[in-house]
Amino acid sequence: MFVDQAKLDIKHIPYRGMGPLMNDILGGQVQLSVVAVAPAAPHIKSGALRAIGVTTAARVASLPGVPTLAEQGLPAYELEGWIAAVGPAGLPKAEVDRLYQGFKGRARHARSARRAGCPGL
């Protein structure tokens, strides 16, 4: 969708995780990617990466100087991030409940949400 709206002629390269992708972006093997804010923010702040824009409807609190893609002429493009907590299929309900309470408590802290780059938490 982003490629079509921005009228880009680029090739999709699948990766097996954010780690290998970030290594290749930082190493100059990849010229452009859409990545999560949390792993990219330290590299953006250090100047190792240049943020072109965020995909959310509003600017992200952890990167206030980075405009949205809508601000830059792609008003129909919006992609909110999400985080999934997963475990093995046989994880006991008591453990799931314990983990849920822990995640719920952390998500309530605005500071944690800002640090994670997840404005929707």
Side-chain angles (χ1 to χ4, degrees):
M1 185 163 53
F2 170 72
V3 172
D4 293 335
Q5 288 183 19
K7 296 181 174 67
L8 298 174
D9 182 20
I10 60 176
K11 181 179 181 178
H12 174 256
I13 302 170
Y15 274 84
R16 290 186 176 203
M18 189 63 65
L21 173 59
M22 291 300 294
N23 286 338
D24 282 356
I25 294 171
L26 292 165
Q29 288 83 14
V30 174
Q31 296 173 336
L32 172 72
S33 184
V34 176
V35 299
V37 171
H43 302 293
I44 293 166
K45 290 176 181 178
S46 76
L49 290 179
R50 178 173 180 234
I52 297 167
V54 294
T55 62
T56 51
R59 291 185 183 209
V60 175
S62 60
L63 297 170
V66 179
T68 67
L69 292 179
E71 289 176 84
Q72 298 182 70
L74 297 176
Y77 188 84
E78 182 182 332
L79 177 65
E80 295 285 338
W82 58 271
I83 299 171
V86 299
L91 195 62
K93 182 175 179 350
E95 186 64 10
V96 171
D97 291 343
R98 185 185 73 77
L99 291 168
Y100 171 75
Q101 291 304 319
F103 288 131
K104 185 176 163 184
R106 292 295 291 168
R108 286 188 179 152
H109 292 84
R111 182 174 169 205
S112 295
R114 283 192 308 272
R115 189 178 321 136
C118 302
L121 288 180

